[in-house]
Amino acid sequence: QYVIKVIVQTIQLLYTMLKIDQPSYILLQNPPGLPSIAVAWVACLFWRSKLIIDWHNYGYTIMSLNHGRNHPLVQIAKWYEKLFGRLSDYNLCVTNAMKEDLWVNCNIKAVTLYDKPASYFKETPLELQHHLYMKLGVSYSRFNRESVGLNAERSAFTEVDEKNGHVIKTRGRPALLISSTSWTGLETNIFLSSPDYEQYINEGVKLPSLVCVITGKGPLKDYYNGLINKLHFKHIQICTPWLEAEDYPLLLGSADLGVCLHKSSSGLDLPMKVVDMFGCCLPVCAIYFECLHELVKHDENGLIFRDSNELAEQLKMLFLGFPTLEGKLHNFRKNLRASKQLCWDESWDQTVLPLFGQNE
């Protein structure tokens, strides 16, 4: 079935590409690269075009998550990716670690082009935060304030000041933590396996209650929702909403802390979810893998942890005395605001545009 699928996709893709107007360049993102790299290369021969591959990861390492590194299909995919990857004219990649790996193991010379957030990932004004919380509170009780009259303009995090009508943050509000996951066992178990944060509060540590929002979709979401419903935390509430596309960046820009549980299949790519969080000046706790330091600077714009116990310790440190405008959490946000990163267009113009000039 897999072989038939690849053959059918090859025919469909090649037919489609040979019908388009003659391009000067074909820009291909990998993965997925099977069969698109070979098809794009053939199309370039036909059109006498230049092929640019944008390496975001390796397809064979993603396949190995299900089949294992030594599976024949994985080995074939690895051979294919290296062979046809070398036939490209130019190559982009998302980390310096991948740039080095492409050169050492594949003899492919690449230019690093870091992912950048879209312009709509930014801090959310307080009025918009309040509107978002009230909207989400209709479907998800975690965003509502307990013991509030039906007509009160209050959420769990914000309220309208009765004196001047301005939106303010509520006293004693919980901290809002957000994570995006594909609902795999590894990622979700980190959230559910450690009651340490709850224990800290029970022992008298002055920490806020937590509202943990886990977005995304995946095959195990219903299973883990069942486990979440059986939890009886007093100070931690977990919410798994399905967000409209325009609400996701607003929620990132409203949160107090982001948590990233992404572990790269190759150890050479960076999580786009953290890029988006940083665009919203949202500090991050991220699980360790080899090249993560190229994005998350430990103790500067976030923290890197290795297991659920270390994450609980970091949450304790960051939220101690919350919501004071002092401490590491506030400093991380200040550092993110102060770091003047190139926007996506500027980064493209500096890094990729010169490649096109080489062909003139």
Side-chain angles (χ1 to χ4, degrees):
Q1 287 180 341
Y2 192 83
V3 172
I4 292 173
K5 179 182 177 181
V6 170
I7 292 173
V8 171
Q9 286 181 337
T10 299
I11 296 171
Q12 290 175 329
L13 185 57
L14 185 60
Y15 175 76
T16 301
M17 294 192 72
L18 295 183
K19 284 179 62 180
I20 64 175
D21 295 333
Q22 180 179 0
S24 298
Y25 301 87
I26 292 176
L27 176 60
L28 170 71
Q29 179 176 304
N30 179 69
L34 186 64
S36 56
I37 299 179
V39 172
W41 176 70
V42 171
C44 283
L45 289 180
F46 179 82
W47 289 121
R48 296 182 180 178
S49 306
K50 298 288 186 181
L51 175 60
I52 305 175
I53 299 180
D54 184 12
W55 298 83
H56 281 241
N57 202 343
Y58 297 139
Y60 75 88
T61 63
I62 296 176
M63 290 178 62
S64 71
L65 295 177
N66 291 327
H67 302 293
R69 291 254 175 183
N70 297 321
H71 193 282
L73 277 178
V74 175
Q75 292 300 311
I76 291 172
K78 182 178 181 180
W79 168 83
Y80 161 88
E81 215 161 357
K82 286 187 175 182
L83 172 65
F84 283 93
R86 286 196 291 266
L87 299 177
S88 59
D89 296 285
Y90 306 109
N91 294 272
L92 309 173
C93 60
V94 292
T95 64
N96 287 326
M98 181 173 283
K99 174 183 177 179
E100 182 178 355
D101 188 80
L102 283 167
W103 176 248
V104 172
N105 295 317
C106 306
N107 199 30
I108 293 173
K109 187 176 181 180
V111 174
T112 302
L113 177 67
Y114 286 112
D115 281 322
K116 300 295 180 182
S119 58
Y120 47 80
F121 284 99
K122 54 190 176 183
E123 291 186 83
T124 305
L126 197 54
E127 290 77 11
L128 272 180
Q129 290 185 33
H130 180 69
H131 176 76
L132 177 65
Y133 297 145
M134 298 300 291
K135 174 183 175 182
L136 294 175
V138 174
S139 303
Y140 306 100
S141 62
R142 304 292 189 264
F143 293 92
N144 293 328
R145 189 179 179 91
E146 295 181 2
S147 303
V148 172
L150 293 175
N151 297 324
E153 273 287 314
R154 295 180 182 178
S155 71
F157 310 95
T158 54
E159 62 184 329
V160 175
D161 191 323
E162 295 178 355
K163 295 180 180 179
N164 54 30
H166 294 163
V167 175
I168 58 175
K169 294 188 176 182
T170 59
R171 283 189 176 185
R173 66 184 178 91
L176 179 57
L177 184 151
I178 187 168
S179 181
S180 178
T181 177
S182 53
W183 293 101
T184 64
L186 172 63
E187 292 181 338
T188 314
N189 279 334
I190 291 177
F191 258 128
L192 305 184
S193 62
S194 176
D196 290 356
Y197 188 88
E198 179 93 358
Q199 186 64 32
Y200 294 147
I201 299 179
N202 291 336
E203 291 172 354
V205 181
K206 292 185 178 180
L207 295 169
S209 296
L210 279 185
V211 174
C212 301
V213 178
I214 309 176
T215 67
K217 60 181 180 179
L220 297 178
K221 183 173 182 178
D222 290 339
Y223 168 74
Y224 278 105
N225 268 328
L227 294 183
I228 289 170
N229 291 333
K230 295 177 182 177
L231 296 174
H232 299 290
F233 291 140
K234 183 179 179 182
H235 303 288
I236 300 175
Q237 299 184 73
I238 300 176
C239 181
T240 61
W242 174 253
L243 297 174
E244 296 177 13
E246 62 270 19
D247 288 341
Y248 178 64
L250 292 178
L251 192 58
L252 284 188
S254 306
D256 297 299
L257 180 70
V259 173
C260 176
L261 305 172
H262 168 89
K263 296 198 80 171
S264 168
S265 63
S266 64
L268 300 171
D269 70 314
L270 295 173
M272 192 65 203
K273 63 190 77 175
V274 174
V275 174
D276 295 338
M277 289 174 181
F278 282 172
C280 297
C281 296
L282 178 63
V284 168
C285 290
I287 194 166
Y288 170 85
F289 62 89
E290 287 84 348
C291 69
L292 184 62
H293 65 275
E294 293 190 38
L295 178 61
V296 180
K297 313 296 183 185
H298 185 73
D299 223 23
E300 180 179 324
N301 56 17
L303 297 171
I304 296 173
F305 63 91
R306 294 176 182 269
D307 55 40
S308 58
N309 292 327
E310 190 173 4
L311 174 59
E313 286 287 341
Q314 291 177 356
L315 295 180
K316 174 186 176 183
M317 176 187 64
L318 293 174
F319 287 129
L320 194 64
F322 180 89
T324 180
L325 293 179
E326 298 176 358
K328 284 190 178 294
L329 193 62
H330 180 62
N331 289 336
F332 291 163
R333 196 179 289 272
K334 280 176 59 180
N335 291 340
L336 287 167
R337 288 170 179 157
S339 63
K340 294 183 177 180
Q341 300 183 41
L342 292 176
C343 70
W344 196 92
D345 290 337
E346 293 169 337
S347 181
W348 173 274
D349 289 346
Q350 283 192 13
T351 306
V352 184
L353 208 55
L355 298 179
F356 295 114
Q358 295 175 19
N359 196 38
E360 296 299 328

